[in-house]
Amino acid sequence: MESPFQNLPVAQIAFMYRDIEAAKERFAALLGQPVPPTIVTQPGDEVNADYRGTPTKAAAKLAFFHLPNVQIELIEPIGDDSAWAENPEGFHHIAFWVEGADRADQRLKSLGAERMQRGDMGEGQYVYYDVRKTHGMIIELLEKVRTPL
């Protein structure tokens, strides 16, 4: 069966930090980029988020570095019930923009991935899959137009 990521470039690489403000300064110096603003996500209950199948109110602080070929995302969790809070420091996920997250969802599940968290993102959605047992990471699907999962 074909991989849902076979011809897709990596959209984003994300890292978790307990102190996003300090992390932004370090990344800006490393990358030679300006320090980006911090964005606070809407609480999970406002974006129909669920964590391991249960509604969650969790949120996060986010900062983005836009490099020519990939976006670097820094995340600081707010609250306990989220994929973010499970891994509070270091590498967190690799993200891909997809069309038809429902097809990618089926393929990932067939490979043993567990859906961890999803939430609305405007008209689209984000979905995290736990593949830490087999690949040591989380995969995120980003979708501009939401398909039902």
Side-chain angles (χ1 to χ4, degrees):
M1 185 178 260
E2 190 174 296
S3 167
F5 313 113
Q6 188 168 333
N7 296 311
L8 297 177
V10 172
Q12 181 185 82
I13 300 172
F15 300 90
M16 301 296 305
Y17 292 98
R18 290 184 184 96
D19 181 353
I20 197 170
E21 298 306 319
K24 288 188 327 183
E25 295 289 336
R26 291 191 306 270
F27 265 81
L30 175 70
L31 299 172
Q33 298 271 327
V35 177
T38 298
I39 300 163
V40 178
T41 66
Q42 294 175 279
D45 57 340
E46 293 181 19
V47 293
N48 301 310
D50 68 74
Y51 169 64
R52 299 200 180 274
T54 302
T56 181
K57 293 182 179 184
K61 294 179 183 178
L62 309 175
F64 299 95
F65 289 92
H66 302 281
L67 303 179
N69 296 320
V70 70
Q71 182 183 72
I72 303 291
E73 178 183 26
L74 306 183
I75 308 168
E76 180 183 325
I78 300 171
D80 294 328
D81 296 332
S82 72
W84 307 307
E86 278 191 31
N87 184 17
E89 287 281 328
F91 174 69
H92 188 259
H93 70 261
I94 294 177
F96 299 89
W97 282 104
V98 298
E99 292 181 18
D102 52 342
R103 292 186 305 277
D105 178 79
Q106 291 171 5
R107 177 66 176 140
L108 284 164
K109 286 179 179 176
S110 77
L111 295 171
E114 178 185 350
R115 189 182 319 148
M116 294 177 77
Q117 182 172 321
R118 74 144 307 277
D120 295 346
M121 195 175 65
E123 293 183 19
Q125 66 184 325
Y126 72 91
V127 191
Y128 289 124
Y129 294 87
D130 192 345
V131 292
R132 290 179 290 185
K133 289 180 185 171
T134 57
H135 294 83
M137 66 177 174
I138 294 167
I139 298 267
E140 180 183 27
L141 302 181
L142 299 166
E143 188 174 44
K144 293 179 182 176
V145 178
R146 195 169 32 254
T147 56
L149 298 177

